[in-house]
């Protein structure tokens, strides 16, 4: 910080930022991000018995024209190689009652790969990616672009098909599953 800046801060009765706030650590950042509530989705990829997936809250709409979504995936995730190799993925937005599926795809009970798909009904749409039949809503995507940043890849997916919207299956009218401050919850729509 320049001497002029320090003098201007002192004249205004302010302290330099660095003196009051330590640098942002990984733990501090993770703790701060726990305050950001997010919809819980399962990101799936692969075909047949070569399927895998992961639980994600880093899913957002990118564009309506053309329909495009963005998801951030850690390159150390076991599903990451299939996402890249097959160049397709499903984003399955979970309903509040589907938190056991979120736990399974997060590997909380040790399930890996194909075992994560047990106990649920899966379908395929345009891309061939696994789609959860009773997801709140599902986006069937082909991989349009992959951007490497730090430990993650930003995957941009062109939406090829939807499931759970306008009577195409899914669980319309159901409360969504949210993740906030390290726990699952739901948001109830007022009647």
């Amino acid at each position: 910080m320049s001497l002029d800046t320090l003098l201007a801060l002192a004249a205004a009765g302010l302290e330099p930022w660095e003196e009051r706030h330590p640098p942002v650590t990984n733990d501090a950042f993770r703790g701060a991000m726990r305050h950001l509530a997010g919809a819980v989705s399962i990101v799936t990829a692969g075909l047949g018995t070569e399927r895998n997936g992961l639980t994600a809250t880093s899913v957002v709409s990118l564009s309506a024209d053309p329909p495009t979504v963005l998801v951030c995936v850690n390159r150390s995730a076991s599903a990451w190689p299939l996402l890249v190799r097959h160049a397709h993925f499903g984003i399955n937005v979970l309903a509040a009652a589907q938190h056991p599926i979120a736990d399974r795809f997060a590997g909380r009970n040790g399930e890996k790969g194909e075992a994560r798909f047990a106990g649920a009904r899966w379908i395929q749409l345009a891309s061939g990616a696994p789609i959860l039949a009773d997801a709140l809503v599902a986006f069937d995507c082909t991989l349009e672009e992959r951007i490497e940043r730090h430990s993650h890849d930003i995957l941009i997916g062109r939406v090829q098909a939807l499931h759970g919207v306008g009577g195409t299956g899914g669980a319309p009218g159901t409360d969504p599953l949210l993740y906030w401050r390290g726990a699952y919850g739901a948001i109830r729509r007022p009647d």
Side-chain angles (χ1 to χ4, degrees):
M1 191 172 296
S2 73
L3 180 58
D4 289 339
T5 302
L6 288 172
L7 291 173
L9 287 172
L14 301 173
E15 297 175 27
W17 175 264
E18 293 85 6
E19 290 181 16
R20 294 180 289 144
H21 300 283
V24 176
T25 64
N26 291 347
D27 288 340
F29 178 74
R30 284 187 190 105
M33 290 303 295
R34 290 170 61 97
H35 293 279
L36 182 64
V40 180
S41 298
I42 302 300
V43 178
T44 55
L47 298 169
T49 58
E50 186 189 41
R51 300 184 295 180
N52 206 339
L54 56 101
T55 301
T57 56
S58 58
V59 175
V60 295
S61 166
L62 180 61
S63 171
D65 187 17
T68 316
V69 293
L70 180 147
V71 62
C72 300
V73 177
N74 192 316
R75 285 190 299 280
S76 69
S78 62
W80 178 81
L82 290 178
L83 288 161
V84 175
R85 183 168 56 244
H86 289 280
H88 69 220
F89 55 94
I91 296 174
N92 305 276
V93 181
L94 299 182
Q98 294 174 317
H99 60 86
I101 296 172
D103 281 342
R104 202 163 47 245
F105 277 84
R108 290 208 170 124
N109 298 314
E111 296 95 341
K112 296 180 190 269
E114 178 67 20
R116 292 179 174 179
F117 291 83
R121 190 167 68 88
W122 298 89
I123 60 174
Q124 291 179 322
L125 301 177
S127 79
I131 299 295
L132 181 62
D134 63 348
L136 188 62
V137 67
F139 302 85
D140 181 34
C141 306
T142 54
L143 182 60
E144 186 173 273
E145 186 176 355
R146 180 173 73 108
I147 303 164
E148 290 186 28
R149 285 296 182 271
H150 311 294
S151 60
H152 285 62
D153 273 1
I154 302 164
L155 304 179
I156 298 173
R158 175 76 61 97
V159 179
Q160 302 297 317
L162 298 171
H163 180 71
V165 177
T168 61
T174 305
D175 296 330
L177 181 61
L178 298 179
Y179 191 74
W180 182 59
R181 296 178 72 185
Y184 295 122
I187 186 168
R188 305 250 182 309
R189 184 177 142 172
D191 293 330

